[in-house]
Amino acid sequence: LFGKPVVDEETLEALEEVLLTADIGVATSMKLVEEVAERVRRKELTDPEVLRVHLKTRIAEILIEDEGHLDLGPKRPYVVLVVGVNGVGKTTTIGKIAAQFTARGDKVVIGAADTFRAAAIEQLAIWGERVGAQVIKHEHGSDPAAVTFDTLEAAKARGADLVLIDTAGRLHTKTNLMEEMKKIRRVAGKAIEGAPHEVMLVLDSTTGQNAISQAKTFNETITVDSIVLTKLDGTAKGGVIVGICDELKIPVKFIGIGEQVDDLRPFNAAEFVEALFS
Amino acid sequence: SLSDKLADVFKSLTGKGKLNEKDIEAALKQVRMALLEADVNFRVVKQFVADVRVRAMGQEVARSLTPDQTVVKIVREELVRVMGETCEELDLRAAPPVPILLVGLQGSGKTTTAGKLALYLKKKLRRSPYLVPADVYRPAAVEQLKKIATDLDIPVFDTDVNDDPVEVCKKAGEAARIGGYDTIIIDTAGRLHIDEELMGELGRIKEALDPNEILLVADAMTGQDAVNVAGEFDRALGLTGVVLSKMDGDARGGAALSVRAVTGKPIKFVGMGEKSDALEVFAPDRVASRILG
Ligand SMILES: Nc1nc2c(ncn2[C@@H]2O[C@H](COP(=O)(O)OP(=O)(O)OP(=O)(O)O)[C@@H](O)[C@H]2O)c(=O)[nH]1
Ligand SMILES: Nc1nc2c(ncn2[C@@H]2O[C@H](COP(=O)(O)OP(=O)(O)OP(=O)(O)O)[C@@H](O)[C@H]2O)c(=O)[nH]1
Ligand SMILES: [Mg+2]
Ligand SMILES: [Mg+2]
């Protein structure tokens, strides 16, 4: 694609293909290519290599990093509510994050607020045990808001540093489930003032343009503070995040690169962009 | 929707008897964008648009339709044609217990679909299915399928997580034979199509069981990557069909077209919810409408 000595129509088309096949989406890809095409027309960009660098820089500017770490701040416990649609990697991501903090001596409490899906509580309990974090759970089928409340009460009582609340996967189109999530958020605030301090949306990098509706709806419902993009160890590029950052200005904190406890990395915009073009 | 966009393209043209080249190109531009927005793979879109162009050239505008309606009609017919005009049944012609193997990426809905298929076989096809939890890696995966099975009152193999999955499948096959069940549904661990070791493991499970059906469970919201995943699973194992899960969301479902176009394998079912009764037989015209927006 960039092996040609001159920028022509073919170069721009090939460029559009790279962006579209990375799931960057029609609107965002067209916008990016048009910006570049304009500079080409004004003869500001004539070398394909420079064009490539310019485009990478432009995309990296849109992406929003957040130093890739959770800053627990002075008031403890710091409460993170983890949400997202079904199967994206919420439970696994909580295990990974908990591990990072227990490893440095922080006390982590996890709330098993997915009381709906079969063996969701058992799955989380195994992770809690693996990483040395206490898991607060009720019976299967109980009220997730009640679990959340108890988790925060327990966290306060034990002087926890970090609380991670695992919730059931929910499609953003299901109004009753979006309402349930709102209630979980409200109840958290009742147990600890200001909680949740962070609402973390987990997105699957294999997801196409629907990720944008997911992000928008979750954000409109309970305000999303950060994003984790999982499964980047696959062949999907996760390009949907470009449009999401551009429109919603939500920082991407971590990326998931596997199923094991250590497979979590801080989001790095430059590395992400390099991978988009590889 | 595409219909609206095409109506716009053609609103300045009235009383035309035939679609001319310029009209068609303008319309195809809209079709291409609509399909890409619906997550149909880039290359698949290219081929699809080329096929539509061939059909649209010289096409008479039926007196009952406007030019934009003619193009929409062609696009819809092409979508339905590619995705399979007929609904393909499960192939259960074999000596019992007939094995059905579920494979796919992490989190796509395999375990949930296993329960749904078991219920479908029991209630709709009046068969006696046996569930096999062959995912010994994911925490509480065996418990998850066991709980689903118990809720449905469907027998399930008591997997030992210390066994490797091939061992589990062999033992379960034997248990199903002894128990007199006529169908076994094997739930496997999610895996990447690029993980040689785990893909090799599936190959060994296939060899051990000789399944009648190897179904790829794919998430309806999958984007451009759908062709890579489906293509590789098909190449490695020879899929017999696809189940598109989470179609109860608002993903346009372009992955349906991509997967069919790249593997030629039929989509047999769609998952329409988290409960075990949320499984429907694939209807191409319905998915076509959805992709068209
Ligand atoms: N390859 C890979 N797999 C992942 C990653 N993160 C999670 N997974 C896998 O994805 C699958 C789903 O993960 P979960 O943590 O259960 O997802 P979830 O969002 O909690 O799912 P629900 O609670 O059912 O909505 C599991 O098989 C995980 O091991 C990742 O970064 N890479
Ligand atoms: N809304 C909806 N959710 C679904 C559907 N199918 C599965 N799910 C949900 O998607 C999530 C993942 O489903 P699983 O069955 O655990 O997926 P899996 O492929 O077995 O996951 P791994 O074993 O980790 O690879 C769960 O929350 C399911 O309830 C569906 O058709 N609609
Ligand atoms: Mg979970
Ligand atoms: Mg599973």
Side-chain angles (χ1 to χ4, degrees), chain B residues 25-93:
Chain B
E25 285 315 311
L28 289 182
K29 194 156 174 290
Q30 293 299 328
V31 171
R32 177 177 178 265
M33 291 219 292
L35 294 178
L36 287 170
E37 283 167 354
D39 288 324
V40 181
N41 178 266
F42 186 89
R43 293 274 159 90
V44 172
V45 171
K46 213 171 192 177
Q47 181 61 49
F48 185 86
V49 166
D51 294 343
V52 169
R53 177 181 289 112
V54 165
R55 281 201 51 190
M57 289 297 192
Q59 166 91 26
E60 290 294 336
V61 179
R63 233 175 299 148
S64 57
L65 298 176
T66 57
D68 53 290
Q69 286 172 340
T70 303
V71 176
V72 171
K73 180 169 176 293
I74 294 173
V75 173
R76 175 183 297 280
E77 285 172 1
E78 268 306 290
L79 282 174
V80 172
R81 187 188 67 79
V82 175
M83 290 195 291
E85 279 132 314
T86 59
C87 76
E88 295 240 7
E89 303 276 344
L90 278 176
D91 176 12
L92 302 170
R93 300 161 302 171

Side-chain angles (χ1 to χ4, degrees), chain A residues 18-201:
Chain A
V18 170
L19 299 180
L20 288 170
T21 52
D23 284 313
I24 286 188
V26 174
T28 308
S29 298
M30 276 175 57
K31 172 173 148 181
L32 287 166
V33 172
E34 187 43 40
E35 277 179 21
V36 157
E38 178 55 22
R39 301 193 63 183
V40 169
R41 279 193 286 273
R42 295 196 301 229
K43 301 275 184 277
E44 292 172 11
L45 275 175
T46 51
D47 174 353
E49 220 8 77
V50 176
L51 168 69
R52 178 196 188 113
V53 170
H54 175 87
L55 189 62
K56 283 182 177 176
T57 310
R58 184 72 194 97
I59 296 176
E61 279 170 4
I62 296 174
L63 296 169
I64 307 173
E65 285 176 9
D66 194 353
E67 291 111 52
H69 58 256
L70 278 175
D71 182 1
L72 303 193
K75 282 172 137 242
R76 305 290 167 94
Y78 185 80
V79 179
V80 182
L81 179 64
V82 181
V83 298
V85 305
N86 309 71
V88 295
K90 299 176 291 300
T91 304
T92 307
T93 299
I94 284 175
K96 294 171 181 176
I97 293 176
Q100 290 196 358
F101 285 84
T102 53
R104 51 181 232 192
D106 284 321
K107 187 173 275 183
V108 181
V109 171
I110 299 175
D114 176 357
T115 57
F116 171 75
R117 205 209 69 211
I121 297 171
E122 288 82 337
Q123 180 188 8
L124 194 59
I126 291 173
W127 272 106
E129 200 164 318
R130 255 183 209 175
V131 308
Q134 169 152 46
V135 178
I136 306 297
K137 48 188 160 58
H138 286 188
E139 284 215 329
H140 182 260
S142 55
D143 178 4
V147 178
T148 303
F149 192 88
D150 276 5
T151 302
L152 295 190
E153 289 296 307
K156 279 191 290 191
R158 290 154 218 238
D161 297 296
L162 172 66
V163 177
L164 299 159
I165 311 269
D166 188 20
T167 61
R170 68 199 67 227
L171 293 182
H172 51 295
T173 46
K174 315 234 154 150
T175 339
N176 58 329
L177 297 183
M178 289 285 113
E179 285 304 310
E180 175 187 89
M181 185 175 64
K182 266 200 221 154
K183 181 175 175 211
I184 291 173
R185 178 184 185 128
R186 246 192 340 266
V187 167
K190 293 212 171 107
I192 292 181
E193 193 182 331
H197 305 99
E198 181 167 338
V199 171
M200 181 179 273
L201 174 67

Side-chain angles (χ1 to χ4, degrees), chain A residues 85-86 171 206-208 210 214, chain B residues 39 219-223 245-246 251:
Chain A
V85 305
N86 309 71
L171 293 182
T206 64
T207 306
N210 197 250
Q214 290 173 24
Chain B
D39 288 324
D219 198 321
M221 52 183 116
T222 310
S245 67
K246 309 177 204 172

Side-chain angles (χ1 to χ4, degrees), chain B residues 110-111 135 138 141 144 187-188 190:
Chain B
K110 297 173 293 300
T111 306
D135 178 357
R138 168 173 152 156
Q144 184 184 2
D187 176 28
T188 63

